[in-house]
Amino acid sequence: MQPFLYQIAQLFATEYRESLVDTCFVFPNKRCSTFFTAYLKDLLPEASFLPEMTDIDSLVMSMTRSVIMPRIEQLFMLFNCYTRLRREAFPDDENEQSLNFDTFLTWGEMVLNDFNDIDRYLVDTTQIFRNIRYFKEISANFLTEEQIEIVNRYWRDEITFDPDAPMWRHVEHGDKNIDTVRSFFSLWVILDKLYRDFGNRLNELSMTYNGAAYRRAVELIKDINPAEIMPFRKYVFVGFNVLSATEEKLFSAFRDAGIADFYWDYASPAFNSDDNIDNQFHNPASEFVGRYVKQFPTTGVKLPDEGITSFPKIKIIGVPSTIGQVKKASVILDELITDNPGDFTPVKARRTAVVLPDETLCVPLVNSLSPKVTDINITMGYPMKNSPVASLMGNIIKLQSRCRVISGETAYYFEDLIALLSHPVLRSVYPQKCEEIISVINRDSIFNFKRSALVEVFPDLEPFLIVSGENPKALETIAVMLDALKKISEGDGLSHAFVVSYIRSLDTLRKYVNQYGLTLAHDTIFHLLQRLAGGEAVHFAGEPLEGIQIMGLLETRALDFDNLIMLSMNEKIFPRSTTPRSFIPMEMRAAYGLSTTDHQESIFAYYFYRLLTRCNRVYLIYDTRGGNRSAEMSRYLYQLLYAFPDLNPEIEMTGYKMASSAKREIIVNKTDSIMEKLELFRTSGSDRYLSPSSINTFINCPLQFYLKNVGGYGTDDQLVDYVDDSLFGTIVHYVLEKLYISESNKGTSIFEALRMNVMCQTQKSEIEHLVVCAFKETYLKQDSKKFPSGGFHTTDLPGELELLANMIIKYVDRILRTEANWKAVESFDFKYGEKRIMGYVKFTDRLSLNIKGYIDRVDYVKLESDSTPILRFIDYKTGNEPVEISSVADMFDVTKKSRAKGLLQLMIYCNAYASIKNSDKPVMPLIYNFNHMLSNGLDFMNCDKQPIIDYHSINGEFIEQFEKVMLDLFDPAIPFTQAVNRKKACVYCDFKGICDSNEKEFD
């Protein structure tokens, strides 16, 4: 089937060859003229004259002799016009907020868009601006809350108002800032004047914007016959679809002057009205194009009726991934080339197209193509906004905008600095330095990295750390940044091209800022630069008429292909779910005939169905992922499935090869090398020790024990800017330890003071001081040796840490009071905090281990029921640690919801103490489960409802079970296996990613 443009070229090459020199072909875009020229060259003799070819925008510009002012300069000029008119309208208004370009920028773009639309659709400006003002006034909410409640109750419905009403309301209840309101409302007061003044300023410079040029072209031919002023005898308009009001007027004038002809691509079966009625399917594209076919008919030789009554072979493919779509497209291309190698010579390959509604897939697609694809042509270019350089500039902007001045020096927030140092552009050039600084940040908990220290260790980073301030300094410092980027990107051609494009954008911005004499904030300059650069694209070199065509949707207008592969066929991507950013309400846009979402729907529908019409093979690929925001199949795919019963498209659901639903079992056998390492744990004099926590790890998950304690694997600690549960517990431990050590040294007793409820101010101050010290040491990583003399106060901590410190002070106070109110204890004698237990411990004749650990607190306590003091080993817990067990087996039972790990730990300490000290004295194991004790008070540990006053009461059974478990560790026949109770053991495991554990399973 011949392409539409080829049919036009063939018609004119045969029927109108002699008059081609006096003919101008007008297309929707320049891409069409490129293909049309190629077709015409193939059909005409070599010595023939080629006709003139242009696109509709160029035709309008040539008619009006207009030059389009760059968009960014339009914004600056509009701002100048606005500030002058506003001062004239409100000479007494002292509020300068609306005279600030940084504020103006947020809605100046929308004003320009609306001006352009109003002109393109020939709207009466005076009328619409007056109505916009009235609409905004009456849509504002002037009712009080009481009045709204009465109306809602009376009508039994919710009364709603314009959500933007506060911006436009110029009459307010109460003492609100009328000047601020007026600064916004002033726009609507002067909007008509602004439109006219802006247009006059452009005319003075012999420049315009797109919509104004179209309006001017219509006004030009209103009283003049186009045949008298246009240079060609015939204008042939080819391949248009939805027209604006100005385009309709131009088409009408050329038609009425007898110098125009029109060729509409209206052959798709989707545009067949009879089929649509039978199928009860209304295609919005057919409404517009069908009307234009009658309004602007072909007056010359018509194209032969192609008799297209059915769609080509269509395959709908679902792929559960964005990148997976790209990979699938590559596979399809390989299959096409293998099956039809003659169709993929450089010239013939242009009959195959890959269309990307989502332009971000361009580079992934190119990188996924196999060696079979030897020739491609990328017509869309790669958008700057998606480039690595754009994201790097975004990181720099964030770093700069969130920096702080601390002690007179600029400091950068750690998250922003890590993001910058982790960026691929910097990491590829300075991998060692970037990793070194990130490691220092995490190791030393540097939340705000000072600039001087950063430059000292990484001098090449200095150009990106210059604080810009306002222009012109900001422009110069950005130039320094880009120059540095240009140097480090010289080895990467694509990145270098992006940087060069950024530099051009900066030069453009600098020119306009100087020309209009504006003072812009640092953030605004960055924003404008990102916008300027983001609107550009780096174009790939190549022959446009050779190779497989990789293009965006707009480039497909009026083009046809034999093989079509179209990606991202998902709702919100195709068609895009976008509402025009406009100050004109949608209802008013519709009333004045401006473009609306209906127009957008018509345009997408036309593009889609027209593109399918003349293909031989069509592959439509969409993302099937249920969690994806655009996972819904495009409405056009549903239409193909259900609105055209005879189509029967093939459906293929592509998935990934997944492992069996049964979890892959990981087993590590105890080799001779592993056994040598294990034996060191029970060899006297060895430097390898087991801690109670590592023994608990082995009981929970032998594999995790192997990875951590035998294999030596671990993870890097990541710095976080919040106090998590672990750090909270560490701070509480620190405070209690230091507090009791201080009490012991002073000979005072906070315990007695609390029992009498007379804690003195000195003791309260001591707690506050220790809490602040704990934050400074454990969280802020400050050296306690450098702390100034005198007590700290919570006000010495920054921001949210002060609030957390006050909370912990109250928490510690409640712990102390709960302990003091435990009637079973008459008094205690504090001995140690964080007492280290370390040595070769004999548990049984068959089991001896090197044990090392720390007991949170050791003291002697005098119980109410016994006058003999007893030694206590206390373990502090901030989590949900059980303080009562039904039997000793609860300490080893991994199937239990909450295994008594804390008691097992204390029992190991008790036995280690007895072995190392050769002592048989009683020891009381006790857990201070803070959350439990604050709710329920303190009590002894209990086993089978009996208090554990002395560990000996349960030690016999404990040793028996402990020996069995630990001998399994040293049995070469028993491998390291995964946890039995994965619901508990795997949730917070650092290694779950390598053993098929998914934390979502354990919610």
Side-chain angles (χ1 to χ4, degrees):
M1 194 174 295
Q2 297 291 357
F4 173 66
L5 291 181
Y6 183 88
Q7 295 177 45
I8 302 293
Q10 188 176 47
L11 175 68
F12 277 82
T14 55
E15 300 292 338
Y16 298 102
R17 180 181 301 178
E18 301 302 324
S19 61
L20 282 178
V21 69
D22 292 323
T23 302
C24 178
F25 289 88
V26 185
F27 300 98
N29 62 7
K30 293 180 180 178
R31 189 75 186 165
C32 299
S33 62
T34 303
F35 273 77
F36 183 76
T37 301
Y39 294 144
L40 208 54
K41 282 182 178 179
D42 292 340
L43 294 167
L44 291 174
E46 291 187 5
S48 301
F49 286 102
L50 286 176
E52 179 74 11
M53 279 164 277
T54 188
D55 60 275
I56 186 67
D57 280 350
S58 299
L59 176 67
V60 169
M61 297 308 133
S62 65
M63 287 177 62
T64 57
R65 303 181 186 275
S66 300
V67 177
I68 300 295
M69 176 177 280
R71 181 73 166 192
I72 194 71
E73 187 175 2
Q74 290 181 40
L75 274 172
F76 287 135
M77 179 171 285
L78 184 70
F79 174 69
N80 276 359
C81 295
Y82 168 70
T83 52
R84 183 177 64 257
L85 291 172
R86 188 185 177 282
R87 286 192 179 103
E88 292 174 0
F90 302 97
D92 299 328
D93 189 356
E94 298 179 358
N95 181 14
E96 291 294 315
Q97 183 68 19
S98 60
L99 302 181
N100 185 299
F101 186 82
D102 309 297
T103 303
F104 175 85
L105 182 62
T106 60
W107 38 272
E109 278 276 16
M110 283 192 283
V111 171
L112 288 179
N113 290 338
D114 288 341
F115 283 0
N116 190 71
D117 277 359
I118 286 169
D119 282 334
R120 285 288 295 256
Y121 287 88
L122 299 174
V123 176
D124 184 323
T125 55
T126 301
Q127 186 182 80
I128 192 171
F129 292 143
R130 181 173 62 246
N131 285 336
I132 289 173
R133 175 179 172 180
Y134 291 161
F135 182 91
K136 291 301 181 181
E137 287 189 56
I138 65 175
S139 63
N141 173 13
F142 295 104
L143 300 180
T144 64
E145 293 183 4
E146 182 180 0
Q147 290 169 330
I148 294 173
E149 183 180 353
I150 293 171
V151 172
N152 288 339
R153 187 167 62 247
Y154 181 81
W155 292 106
R156 297 182 181 179
D157 196 3
E158 291 294 320
I159 183 171
T160 58
F161 297 94
D162 182 357
D164 297 329
M167 180 180 289
W168 325 122
R169 192 185 317 150
H170 64 294
V171 177
E172 300 263 356
H173 298 291
D175 297 323
K176 296 190 178 180
N177 190 337
I178 300 301
D179 288 338
T180 302
V181 176
R182 185 185 300 165
S183 68
F184 290 107
F185 183 72
S186 63
L187 174 64
W188 310 112
V189 174
I190 63 174
L191 193 55
D192 191 30
K193 291 182 179 179
L194 178 62
Y195 168 82
R196 300 185 189 286
D197 189 59
F198 178 62
N200 292 336
R201 290 287 305 278
L202 288 173
N203 290 336
E204 291 172 4
L205 298 173
S206 300
M207 303 189 81
T208 188
Y209 55 90
N210 187 277
Y214 273 80
R215 187 188 282 266
R216 188 180 302 169
V218 170
E219 292 172 351
L220 179 68
I221 60 174
K222 187 180 297 182
D223 301 317
I224 301 177
N225 188 332
E228 299 176 6
I229 59 173
M230 302 305 295
F232 294 95
R233 294 178 59 188
K234 180 70 86 176
Y235 287 83
V236 182
F237 296 88
V238 179
F240 287 84
N241 46 50
V242 179
L243 304 177
S244 67
T246 49
E247 287 169 330
E248 285 197 51
K249 289 287 187 181
L250 289 173
F251 281 25
S252 297
F254 277 68
R255 177 201 60 201
D256 296 343
I259 61 171
D261 212 345
F262 305 91
Y263 288 87
W264 304 94
D265 192 355
Y266 195 57
S268 172
F271 303 151
N272 187 308
S273 60
D274 293 335
D275 287 346
N276 291 342
I277 293 172
D278 292 341
N279 295 319
Q280 295 183 344
F281 164 61
H282 172 67
N283 190 329
S286 63
E287 177 182 347
F288 285 92
V289 182
R291 174 161 56 87
Y292 298 146
V293 169
K294 298 174 182 178
Q295 187 176 352
F296 305 107
T298 302
T299 57
V301 179
K302 294 180 173 58
L303 291 176
D305 185 2
E306 299 177 77
I308 301 175
T309 58
S310 62
F311 284 106
K313 181 180 179 181
I314 295 176
K315 190 172 188 178
I316 298 174
I317 303 171
V319 181
S321 166
T322 300
I323 298 300
Q325 296 179 71
V326 167
K327 301 295 184 183
K328 184 63 179 179
S330 177
V331 171
I332 293 171
L333 287 172
D334 286 352
E335 293 173 351
L336 290 172
I337 294 171
T338 301
D339 295 341
N340 308 279
D343 292 341
F344 287 89
T345 62
V347 173
K348 289 186 178 181
R350 73 187 185 197
R351 300 285 296 131
T352 297
V354 182
V355 178
L356 304 176
D358 181 0
E359 60 192 13
T360 62
L361 295 183
C362 179
V363 169
L365 175 65
V366 173
N367 291 335
S368 299
L369 297 177
S370 74
K372 290 184 179 181
V373 181
T374 57
D375 296 282
I376 62 173
N377 176 52
I378 304 175
T379 66
M380 58 197 302
Y382 189 71
M384 275 289 296
K385 63 182 179 182
N386 298 326
S387 70
V389 173
S391 66
L392 178 62
M393 289 298 292
N395 287 347
I396 294 172
I397 292 169
K398 192 172 183 181
L399 180 82
Q400 292 264 11
S401 62
R402 299 212 298 178
C403 67
R404 302 171 58 190
V405 176
I406 300 176
S407 301
E409 186 175 355
T410 300
Y412 301 99
Y413 188 51
F414 79 99
E415 284 186 349
D416 301 332
L417 188 55
I418 288 176
L420 177 63
L421 297 173
S422 301
H423 196 280
V425 173
L426 282 184
R427 290 296 285 262
S428 64
V429 183
Y430 307 106
Q432 187 173 350
K433 280 293 183 184
C434 291
E435 187 58 41
E436 177 185 335
I437 294 175
I438 292 174
S439 298
V440 169
I441 291 172
N442 288 320
R443 184 193 68 205
D444 298 338
S445 297
I446 303 176
F447 293 97
N448 295 286
F449 210 120
K450 291 191 175 181
R451 182 180 179 277
S452 59
L454 195 56
V455 171
E456 183 178 348
V457 296
F458 195 172
D460 288 341
L461 199 63
E462 185 174 13
F464 309 113
L465 305 177
I466 304 172
V467 179
S468 303
E470 294 182 342
N471 61 293
K473 185 180 178 182
L475 295 167
E476 299 305 322
T477 54
I478 294 172
V480 173
M481 292 179 197
L482 291 174
D483 187 58
L485 276 179
K486 184 178 179 182
K487 290 178 182 178
I488 68 175
S489 66
E490 287 178 350
D492 185 341
L494 188 57
S495 292
H496 193 70
F498 288 137
V499 176
V500 170
S501 182
Y502 251 95
I503 292 174
R504 286 199 300 268
S505 297
L506 178 65
D507 291 340
T508 300
L509 180 60
R510 192 202 318 262
K511 181 184 75 172
Y512 293 142
V513 167
N514 293 335
Q515 178 180 337
Y516 287 90
L518 296 176
T519 300
L520 305 179
H522 167 268
D523 289 346
T524 303
I525 290 176
F526 266 125
H527 176 75
L528 287 172
L529 178 60
Q530 287 286 75
R531 179 173 297 187
L532 265 175
E536 301 218 1
V538 173
H539 293 278
F540 299 90
E543 170 54 49
L545 295 174
E546 292 185 2
I548 294 169
Q549 303 291 302
I550 299 175
M551 50 182 32
L553 182 65
L554 292 179
E555 284 87 24
T556 67
R557 285 179 287 185
L559 303 183
D560 295 296
F561 304 95
D562 291 338
N563 305 304
L564 174 68
I565 304 171
M566 199 164 178
L567 280 64
S568 304
M569 290 301 297
N570 291 80
E571 280 294 303
K572 300 182 182 178
I573 299 179
F574 190 88
R576 289 195 180 277
S577 178
T578 56
T579 302
R581 295 188 72 242
S582 172
F583 282 136
I584 306 173
M586 195 57 63
E587 300 90 339
M588 195 175 294
R589 294 184 69 89
Y592 280 96
L594 293 168
S595 63
T596 62
T597 52
D598 290 341
H599 286 75
Q600 295 297 319
E601 171 72 9
S602 299
I603 291 170
F604 275 101
Y606 179 82
Y607 288 161
F608 178 70
Y609 286 109
R610 192 215 62 79
L611 192 56
L612 303 185
T613 301
R614 297 180 182 84
C615 295
N616 294 328
R617 288 172 289 266
V618 177
Y619 304 86
L620 304 174
I621 306 176
Y622 73 100
D623 192 339
T624 62
R625 288 176 298 171
N628 185 20
R629 65 179 179 83
S630 302
E632 182 69 21
M633 195 164 60
S634 170
R635 69 192 69 173
Y636 299 127
L637 298 189
Y638 281 114
Q639 289 171 10
L640 290 176
L641 289 170
Y642 301 114
F644 303 97
D646 298 331
L647 177 57
N648 294 321
E650 181 182 351
I651 298 176
E652 175 186 324
M653 301 305 291
T654 301
Y656 300 119
K657 293 182 180 180
M658 305 297 290
S660 169
S661 57
K663 290 295 182 181
R664 176 168 57 95
E665 186 178 6
I666 299 178
I667 297 175
V668 177
N669 293 311
K670 294 174 181 173
T671 63
D672 292 342
S673 174
I674 290 175
M675 286 306 302
E676 288 179 9
K677 294 179 180 180
L678 288 175
E679 286 299 326
L680 293 175
F681 288 123
R682 58 178 183 176
T683 301
S684 179
S686 164
D687 62 350
R688 300 297 301 276
Y689 291 84
L690 288 171
S691 67
S693 62
S694 66
I695 293 172
N696 266 320
T697 298
F698 173 72
I699 295 172
N700 283 342
C701 179
L703 179 62
Q704 184 183 3
F705 174 86
Y706 163 76
L707 292 170
K708 190 173 183 179
N709 298 93
V710 181
Y713 300 103
T715 58
D716 294 331
D717 292 332
Q718 297 294 316
L719 181 62
V720 294
D721 59 349
Y722 58 89
V723 177
D724 57 14
D725 290 342
S726 175
L727 185 56
F728 183 88
T730 299
I731 292 173
V732 173
H733 286 199
Y734 176 102
V735 174
L736 292 175
E737 176 196 351
K738 300 293 184 183
L739 181 64
Y740 281 123
I741 290 175
S742 174
E743 291 277 310
S744 176
N745 291 339
K746 293 178 181 177
T748 59
S749 174
I750 197 171
F751 179 81
E752 293 297 330
L754 286 169
R755 283 212 156 172
M756 295 183 292
N757 201 27
V758 288
M759 184 191 289
C760 67
Q761 185 59 44
T762 302
Q763 291 167 326
K764 293 178 181 179
S765 298
E766 179 73 5
I767 294 174
E768 181 180 9
H769 170 75
L770 291 173
V771 170
V772 177
C773 287
F775 271 104
K776 287 181 173 291
E777 282 192 43
T778 62
Y779 186 64
L780 300 177
K781 305 293 184 182
Q782 296 180 6
D783 187 353
S784 61
K785 295 178 182 178
K786 297 181 180 179
F787 288 170
S789 58
F792 279 124
H793 301 284
T794 56
T795 53
D796 296 321
L797 294 173
E800 68 278 2
L801 293 188
E802 181 182 349
L803 298 175
L804 286 169
N806 285 319
M807 185 181 74
I808 291 178
I809 289 171
K810 294 178 181 179
Y811 191 81
V812 170
D813 179 72
R814 289 182 62 194
I815 291 171
L816 294 173
R817 293 182 185 278
T818 301
E819 183 177 38
N821 291 331
W822 190 17
K823 301 302 182 182
V825 174
E826 289 191 356
S827 63
F828 70 85
D829 183 14
F830 178 84
K831 289 300 181 184
Y832 307 105
E834 291 291 318
K835 174 63 177 176
R836 187 172 77 164
I837 292 285
M838 182 176 179
Y840 185 69
V841 178
K842 181 179 181 181
F843 290 92
T844 68
D845 291 340
R846 295 195 302 165
L847 180 64
S848 296
L849 300 171
N850 293 322
I851 295 293
K852 179 173 69 173
Y854 293 87
I855 306 173
D856 289 338
R857 174 171 152 190
V858 177
D859 63 17
Y860 279 97
V861 65
K862 185 177 179 182
L863 301 179
E864 188 178 41
S865 58
D866 190 351
S867 60
T868 304
I870 186 171
L871 185 64
R872 287 195 310 184
F873 289 173
I874 300 176
D875 193 26
Y876 297 143
K877 298 293 184 184
T878 53
N880 187 26
E881 183 70 29
V883 295
E884 183 173 345
I885 58 176
S886 59
S887 68
V888 171
D890 287 358
M891 287 184 268
F892 302 92
D893 188 354
V894 294
T895 65
K896 292 188 72 67
K897 182 177 180 180
S898 185
R899 185 171 67 83
K901 302 186 296 294
L903 181 56
L904 183 142
Q905 183 173 320
L906 287 169
M907 291 298 292
I908 295 173
Y909 284 139
C910 290
N911 281 278
Y913 173 80
S915 176
I916 295 170
K917 296 293 186 180
N918 193 23
S919 168
D920 197 34
K921 66 169 57 176
V923 180
M924 179 194 299
L926 188 63
I927 289 178
Y928 273 21
N929 185 337
F930 294 141
N931 292 333
H932 180 271
M933 62 186 281
L934 292 178
S935 301
N936 304 291
L938 268 172
D939 201 354
F940 300 108
M941 300 290 293
N942 284 270
C943 179
D944 192 20
K945 299 183 179 180
Q946 297 297 315
I948 307 173
I949 304 298
D950 181 3
Y951 82 99
H952 289 94
S953 64
I954 61 171
N955 198 48
E957 189 178 352
F958 170 79
I959 289 296
E960 181 182 342
Q961 297 197 40
F962 182 71
E963 179 190 56
K964 181 180 183 305
V965 169
M966 296 312 296
L967 288 179
D968 286 349
L969 172 61
F970 298 99
D971 187 341
I974 301 177
F976 293 107
T977 58
Q978 293 169 281
V980 174
N981 185 0
R982 302 185 72 183
K983 186 171 184 180
K984 293 294 293 183
C986 300
V987 177
Y988 302 110
C989 177
D990 292 331
F991 306 106
K992 62 187 174 189
I994 63 174
C995 68
D996 292 341
S997 292
N998 186 339
E999 62 180 313
K1000 291 184 178 179
E1001 297 175 24
F1002 312 119
D1003 292 344

